[in-house]
Amino acid sequence: MTTIFDPEDEVLSGDTADIYLVRAQAILRHEDLNPIVTMEVFSNGEGLLCGMREVLALLRQVLPLEAELSALDEGQTMGAKEVVLRITAPYGSFGLYETAYLGMLAHQSGWATAARRCVEATQGIPIISFGARHVHPRVAARLEYATMVGGFVGCATPAGARLSNVSPTGTIPHAVILIFGDTVEATKAFDRHIAPEVNRIALVDTFKDEAEESLRVAEALGDKLWGVRLDTPGERGRVTPDLVKEVRARLDQAGHEQVKIVVSGGIDADRIGLFVGKGAPVDAFGVGSAVSSAPPIDFTADIKSIEGTPVAKRGRIPGITPNPRLQRIDLAETSPD
Amino acid sequence: MTTIFDPEDEVLSGDTADIYLVRAQAILRHEDLNPIVTMEVFSNGEGLLCGMREVLALLRQVLPLEAELSALDEGQTMGAKEVVLRITAPYGSFGLYETAYLGMLAHQSGWATAARRCVEATQGIPIISFGARHVHPRVAARLEYATMVGGFVGCATPAGARLSNVSPTGTIPHAVILIFGDTVEATKAFDRHIAPEVNRIALVDTFKDEAEESLRVAEALGDKLWGVRLDTPGERGRVTPDLVKEVRARLDQAGHEQVKIVVSGGIDADRIGLFVGKGAPVDAFGVGSAVSSAPPIDFTADIKSIEGTPVAKRGRIPGITPNPRLQRIDLAETSPD
Amino acid sequence: MTTIFDPEDEVLSGDTADIYLVRAQAILRHEDLNPIVTMEVFSNGEGLLCGMREVLALLRQVLPLEAELSALDEGQTMGAKEVVLRITAPYGSFGLYETAYLGMLAHQSGWATAARRCVEATQGIPIISFGARHVHPRVAARLEYATMVGGFVGCATPAGARLSNVSPTGTIPHAVILIFGDTVEATKAFDRHIAPEVNRIALVDTFKDEAEESLRVAEALGDKLWGVRLDTPGERGRVTPDLVKEVRARLDQAGHEQVKIVVSGGIDADRIGLFVGKGAPVDAFGVGSAVSSAPPIDFTADIKSIEGTPVAKRGRIPGITPNPRLQRIDLAETSPD
Amino acid sequence: MTTIFDPEDEVLSGDTADIYLVRAQAILRHEDLNPIVTMEVFSNGEGLLCGMREVLALLRQVLPLEAELSALDEGQTMGAKEVVLRITAPYGSFGLYETAYLGMLAHQSGWATAARRCVEATQGIPIISFGARHVHPRVAARLEYATMVGGFVGCATPAGARLSNVSPTGTIPHAVILIFGDTVEATKAFDRHIAPEVNRIALVDTFKDEAEESLRVAEALGDKLWGVRLDTPGERGRVTPDLVKEVRARLDQAGHEQVKIVVSGGIDADRIGLFVGKGAPVDAFGVGSAVSSAPPIDFTADIKSIEGTPVAKRGRIPGITPNPRLQRIDLAETSPD
Amino acid sequence: MTTIFDPEDEVLSGDTADIYLVRAQAILRHEDLNPIVTMEVFSNGEGLLCGMREVLALLRQVLPLEAELSALDEGQTMGAKEVVLRITAPYGSFGLYETAYLGMLAHQSGWATAARRCVEATQGIPIISFGARHVHPRVAARLEYATMVGGFVGCATPAGARLSNVSPTGTIPHAVILIFGDTVEATKAFDRHIAPEVNRIALVDTFKDEAEESLRVAEALGDKLWGVRLDTPGERGRVTPDLVKEVRARLDQAGHEQVKIVVSGGIDADRIGLFVGKGAPVDAFGVGSAVSSAPPIDFTADIKSIEGTPVAKRGRIPGITPNPRLQRIDLAETSPD
Amino acid sequence: MTTIFDPEDEVLSGDTADIYLVRAQAILRHEDLNPIVTMEVFSNGEGLLCGMREVLALLRQVLPLEAELSALDEGQTMGAKEVVLRITAPYGSFGLYETAYLGMLAHQSGWATAARRCVEATQGIPIISFGARHVHPRVAARLEYATMVGGFVGCATPAGARLSNVSPTGTIPHAVILIFGDTVEATKAFDRHIAPEVNRIALVDTFKDEAEESLRVAEALGDKLWGVRLDTPGERGRVTPDLVKEVRARLDQAGHEQVKIVVSGGIDADRIGLFVGKGAPVDAFGVGSAVSSAPPIDFTADIKSIEGTPVAKRGRIPGITPNPRLQRIDLAETSPD
């Protein structure tokens, strides 16, 4: 796809822009001022850059072909105060979109950076994003996408999965088990009606002790059971490393070595470290709030040159900030997205 | 307006829903199961409830008229674990939207709660939202709206302002001042071209010392100048209470008592408390990251009764949780929004 | 009983005394020195005095009738450095027993003080001592006794209970339930064979979820069931306030309002405070390590007068330390114990 | 000696056992249940194992010859959760003694572990146990024994010393010096009447400055003086490293290089480290409360197999926990004790 | 006395002034600039003002009679940033002395503030300054004076005492006692040769235990002994509250109730609080380092008006800072000093 | 110069001595006691020794030629409790001066040690002392001297500079700039009237933004400008590393690469580390309070031998403390000072 923004989109129209940018466009038009400026965007904290793909798609739509654009790639690490994007173009062509491109980078880089921290703690155990429910649905897919950039292996919403060209991942909600009145019955219904390529993962903390329920579903589904998900609520002490070890041992002792264990519920980098440190045999983690609660990483845009003359507001160094990591974007080429 | 979601909207279609909810709908349909359930939604932390207006609009679109719905009002305080929403309806009619309604509440309540904390610190000094640039543009208006629910008096984006039935608020970006090359010239151009009902607020930290520049623009614009905005960057020590006092004193000594002082740049509840505690004569604050960096307040949805029988997953108390603060919503009435 | 020490007892013989006291007796005998001295015993920390009953029984056996003895009562609070015991007698009659009487006071006062801290945290909920297994069996009864002095309402060993003139308290060990293979079967066997005046308290965390098992035993035993004991191990997150609330609610919803809930497993004053603070409906606590791990409160014995002349070692004030709280002990009377 | 428990001993009779174990025996007898079970005992903390010698003596008295028994040795280090004892025998033969054997291990391992910590801090300076007065006389000898297992070189009570096959160690109590009215006179009396193989150690802080008194006794006893003990009370700032250096220097300058310095009074591992770190020439430490105040290290006993079938209560892994460090005990052999 | 500075004094000559002030005088002279300015001096911290008497004496010498001068009084409390001195005079008459008058205030206010903190801790027990040895002899008298302003009742140097119109206070140095070889002999020699109006205070920690030595000097001097000074060095644990209590008790028991106890050696406000809190019967404290180690309280001098026009450097408010606490100084009057 | 103290100097007369030393001299004279003693002076903390040069000059004036004197050199590091000075002489010849020589060492070593800490933080960037205004003018030169011993390269007062054989260093006070009303005019006046060998350093924070003012003075003075001094007050956020970088960049971009940057205002070792760590291109620091607020390092003088016999007060080791670092001072030689 070569564009992602409708002509009437709220972003393109400036409806979601800070009003002072809208007014700035009006003033400069009235004054016939439209100089070629160089705008640099830098991150105020270190982390993992995310959102640049979306930003470049926006800029491709609005910048003239002769503009110069260079940027860090999606998913690269960035240092504090590092310039990640440089635009040289008539100010009138892109000044209005400052709110939008800063926000795209801020929100998604915050999420991707938090996801990466979890990934680093797992020492190789895969993580699935379960955080869509903690953010507004208008950005749920963006959060899911950011976790994938951060190294998660799967995410839960169709819209988010599509952004990363994967299939969405899920188990069974407590609601369905409560409606069936029995974990085994609900799991068997899942098995009857859901496409065979979807893994059968039983949720085993609804009615009975997790270890007992795990053995019941393993007996009932046999080899068709891919795994069990432990999601013990805080009221019951959450999933502990020892619970994982015990369920694993009881499954193994009953001959269900193939059944995997997925752990979710309040999992963050610290708790992942606890499971890993105690050698709990977790096969996958589901992580939600640990990513959704990460603050955005703020970005700042500065004009550093006007018609070739270095300038800067007080507090900043006039002129281009050299950054050899920036890569030139060819505006004539079709975006890879 | 009576609906806010297009028939093909990604929320209505389930595209932003967790896939296990999509599959649950399929399984229950295949099994011909669609019991009337009571779902309760509670907050995992205390704070200010926000997003309920949007959630109710969604539920009005999907619930049958005979469903029962009760909720806390937008903008009410809520305790940890307090039930804020109770739905009694066929599960099939609304089960798919759990991801969406939880996310709407989580994100907006997080922002509104952070905004309220700032408001409480000001002891009456008004605050304007400057945070749109720190979140994805798809939720920028929602953040702006949440700050207004939290007690801010203005916000910066047209889309956000519209949600609260106010006009957007703004000053002048550094970019325009850099292009004009002089703060006074830029402010005069603003004055020439922008509608007279918009306040003239000069940004006075671009080129010269803030106090010197404040006097220059006050001299140049006279009574037309509503105020100055101090936004000293971190590289220069940010705006300090003493700077505000000094600018105030120098303006007053030069006869510009009517010029107000707006303070922005890294302002949060703690720093507001510092300004207030030291008696700095601030007329308004602009707050961004302090709200945008607030984590969502997670909400949880639990089935507590099925066809009239109290149930609950392990860790929760079966049956309805009494909460006299909940107000019954009349689904037959047109939504006030 | 008027004596508690056999003539050949290791305490009376000096076998458990510090050897320098044994040698001191020999030296003074050889030198024909046996002055009347006043020895004062003070506590090095504040707390609850315990062990004095045993100490007085020992001293009654060894002191001549004309000796003077005054002491604080068993179970009284004492301040740091407060004199709790004063002996005026020929040094040769009691000098050997300094190690013994200090140790009796130290160990038991430490336990009683820790018990009192737990009692104060409960705000009226009764506590039973479960700590015998954490101390050497030769002092298990003394620990049990000290907890009763500290305010516990029951203890677990026959020897300890006898010291406090109560019946021992207990439930069912996990071992028996494991041997029966089912909690309900084990509880029914208990009910068949144990005297009817003993409360039937089922231990409900051996095989199944605590809530499920509680309902099963309540159904099976009906009104004969006095209560259930929750003892969830650390591997499963220990007993939480929410678990108590949930079990209570599920029992009540099933009509078993009369079944009480006993909570044990790692309970100390802080955790008691947590249960009480969250309003968890606990009917009794079982406390072990919180008492057994309390350090002894050291006591010191000082000669303060010799043949009527005030003396003291460096660092202490010569002469009697007035303490109006001390009560004179009549050595001619038979001990109340 | 091959047995240590009288037939009527309170431990063998179950008088010091938790009552629920007494009742368990009764129930199982009535039900004719006496399966062969495997019981594993593990430590809840790391430390130095102590008390196993006593536990094995008890088990040798009660277990049938065909029982299987394996254990870690007395004085070995143990990890947290490490199995230190495994019993395979008819439950009825040993179930009653769980309170006793856990308590023996808990109390003595706690003391031995604390003693070891002091020993590690001394970097080779010997330590003598002075803690009998801080525990009940019924366990004073056990505490003394545990300090020897932990690496102390001497202890103060005859009963404790006998458990370790050493002679008890002591100096002179303040009481005797006060009665003599002079440190030199008291020390000379000690020298007159106590067997020559006992070291002459003068206590030098009763009447005069420690340095002055040290010189006085050194002059008076000459080569017969083995050492002096500094025991300055807290009211006088306790023994400091500088005091030891000064006494050493003054003794040396007066030609008493052979007189050793023993330091006591509130000595724990931290204060030992202070003396060692500052190079104070201490020849031996006397340690009391630092050991007696150590909490017991709790142990837990779990049935892990019944008649060959792996079992476990919830939270534990069913079946034997492999531990190659365990050594098989030959019940047919006479105990080495 | 009406002047304190010789015409050739290093302060008057500018020899101790910052060279840039010397150069400033030269420049302004060359340019024929000598405007009447108002200089305000404020404190950068709160505390007790000290040194103003000396500053005013200096200014009286240099300012013309028509200058205006107002100030806070010596010994008044001052707030952070409070103006304590205002000079309106030709800049050339006093600009050179900025280094001097700021330094006089800074050093002495720092000392006086620290002294006041000690005084507040004593709850009425008098304090004597023993700190001269911790500062350069050129300011020893100034430190002594500042402690008197802070509330001490005596000081040790003749020069310092003269500044406060008192007699110097002292006891006996360890050196003299060492030379006499005996505390009693040294104290008797003091009594023989020193004027009878000087209190006899024996220093009792040189050779023997403090309590023993106190009794010896009390016996030897009888009613002539005013008191004893305890100065136990850190190597011996310093003076403790218990030592004071013990010495008091032993003196009283021997009939020397009239002998007072002076405590010195590392005494600061915290340790004074310890003695007071524990009820140690101290009659006077000697304090040294607690005052001498106090940092100066920096003062700043700002020109706030030139020839009647409000001015200020950036960061300060132009014009006079109202402070009703300032008192006008009449330059025509002879200084009270 | 061979003497530094006038015959009537307050130090030589004993006027600044502790009165008990004055009285000690009187007592010993009356008793005809004047033994040869060895006095050792040790430091109570580690640091840089300073003041010894002054102390030796004093002792040379008062000691008889046959006295023995050894000392560490000025500017050497010293350990805690290290002996830095040893005097063997008749006590009457020097006993009176104990207050003085301890104070000289204490105050100056405290300052020199603090100065050295700053020097170590700079990693080679020179520091100038600006602290004279924070201490009494009677010791301002001594503080300046101590900073030079500590490694500063310049100081601000003529008297202080003379002690180190350097020329004083300074810029321009704010007062002069305020009088001229313009930084450029004031700097040009400085250039007109001050000797050409004095560096022209403009103070650039009085009226305008530091960067703007730096460019103005650089344009006005051209190559004659040696540097600018940034001294931004706390009210404006102090000088930040970023401000230095920005001023450097703006100066360089305008072709003023030769203009150096001096930074002052609240600079201490921590803040120096911040500038160095962030790579701010500072050419010199001005440091004041960080040195003047350093507490004195207390020194103690002990008699260790009298007429050849080792002695010491309680708490100290009798006799000479060997220290091979001490160097013998030849009293017959003329002092190098």
Side-chain angles (χ1 to χ4, degrees), chain E residues 111 131-143, chain F residues 5 10-11 16 51 54 99-100 102-108 111 138-139 142 296:
Chain E
W111 289 324
R133 62 185 48 212
H134 302 313
V135 296
H136 196 278
R138 294 297 173 215
V139 290
R142 286 288 155 195
L143 173 136
Chain F
F5 295 94
E10 60 185 350
V11 171
T16 64
E54 191 184 13
T99 313
L102 293 177
M104 289 168 178
L105 295 177
H107 229 160
Q108 295 178 76
W111 289 324
R138 294 297 173 215
V139 290
R142 286 288 155 195

Side-chain angles (χ1 to χ4, degrees), chain F residues 16-86:
Chain F
T16 64
D18 287 310
I19 188 70
Y20 77 166
L21 295 171
V22 180
R23 289 178 184 145
Q25 293 298 108
I27 295 166
L28 293 170
R29 254 195 326 271
H30 279 104
E31 299 276 334
D32 252 339
L33 285 170
N34 192 16
I36 293 177
V37 305
T38 297
M39 182 75 87
E40 287 185 344
V41 176
F42 66 86
S43 162
N44 285 284
E46 44 183 33
L48 204 69
L49 179 64
C50 186
M52 187 56 85
R53 207 172 69 157
E54 191 184 13
V55 166
L56 294 182
L58 169 62
L59 292 175
R60 280 174 185 279
Q61 277 188 265
V62 301
L63 290 179
L65 274 183
E66 64 275 19
E68 291 179 14
L69 190 59
S70 51
L72 287 191
D73 267 2
E74 190 86 328
Q76 286 194 283
T77 58
M78 58 188 178
K81 304 268 171 179
E82 180 169 3
V83 173
V84 300
L85 175 66
R86 187 186 295 130

Side-chain angles (χ1 to χ4, degrees), chain F residues 113-131:
Chain F
T113 300
R116 173 60 54 94
R117 255 197 302 273
C118 291
V119 168
E120 285 167 352
T122 59
Q123 304 192 357
I125 301 170
I127 311 181
I128 302 159
S129 170
F130 280 0

Side-chain angles (χ1 to χ4, degrees), chain C residues 257-324:
Chain C
E257 291 88 351
Q258 92 291 352
V259 176
K260 299 189 190 312
I261 299 177
V262 180
V263 170
S264 61
I267 302 298
D268 58 17
D270 286 350
R271 295 197 68 226
I272 288 172
L274 191 72
F275 281 92
V276 170
K278 295 202 167 181
V282 176
D283 294 294
F285 288 104
V287 168
S289 310
V291 169
S292 63
S293 67
I297 294 178
D298 296 347
F299 285 77
T300 301
D302 266 347
I303 287 186
K304 302 304 286 293
S305 140
I306 299 180
E307 296 290 353
T309 304
V311 299
K313 69 172 203 175
R314 273 169 76 231
R316 303 282 151 72
I317 311 292
I320 301 302
T321 311
N323 185 1

